Amino acid sequence: MSGKDDDGDGDAAVVVDTKPKTKRPPLYKVLLLNDDYTPMEFVVAVLERFFGMNHAQAFEIMLTVHKKGVAVVGVFSHEIAETKVGQVMDFARRHQHPLQCTMEKE
Ligand code: TYC
């Protein structure tokens, strides 16, 4: 009968939440994957068109993917990341290249 809150004053102990709830929405990394068939210049064009990179930046990131297998090409909200992945996959498919683009929670 004597529970932990039963200290005789008739009210239950309450844990007070003091932290303000200001959780930012999660961010997502958009990743570009290497393959053996997509032309380098197509990948550079993708990075310029959909990720706003200049030619030098795009070429550098393309080379990183080519050498390392994968690279982060941007970090976005879930909705924007999903849109970018869709745009890249659609553009690659329309040009019949096997280029793969994915996203993952940061
Ligand atoms: N490996 C490709 C080639 O040698 C080039 C390439 C780079 C493909 C980056 C995909 O995400 C990629 N033609």
Side-chain angles (χ1 to χ4, degrees):
M1 242 324 245
S2 59
K4 59 179 160 57
D5 296 335
D6 191 3
D7 57 0
D9 66 1
D11 54 36
V14 173
V15 177
V16 178
D17 191 357
T18 54
K19 238 187 180 176
K21 292 190 186 68
T22 56
K23 258 197 283 181
R24 278 121 31 239
L27 293 174
Y28 291 80
K29 297 182 283 194
V30 171
L31 309 168
L32 205 58
L33 278 58
N34 189 37
D35 66 72
D36 292 339
Y37 305 103
T38 304
M40 289 185 173
E41 57 268 30
F42 183 83
V43 178
V44 171
V46 162
L47 293 170
E48 290 171 344
R49 177 184 288 240
F50 299 115
F51 297 93
M53 296 181 195
N54 65 39
H55 194 77
Q57 292 170 327
F59 197 88
E60 193 178 311
I61 299 290
M62 180 281 296
L63 268 192
T64 300
V65 179
H66 177 69
K67 289 185 209 164
K68 303 204 171 201
V70 63
V72 176
V73 298
V75 177
F76 307 98
S77 70
H78 188 272
E79 188 178 0
I80 301 292
E82 222 167 42
T83 299
K84 300 278 182 198
V85 169
Q87 287 173 328
V88 172
M89 295 300 285
D90 188 53
F91 193 61
R93 190 191 48 74
R94 272 165 26 221
H95 289 83
Q96 298 184 287
H97 296 310
L99 182 63
Q100 294 293 306
C101 185
T102 61
M103 61 193 271
E104 67 176 38
K105 205 169 177 176
E106 200 179 46

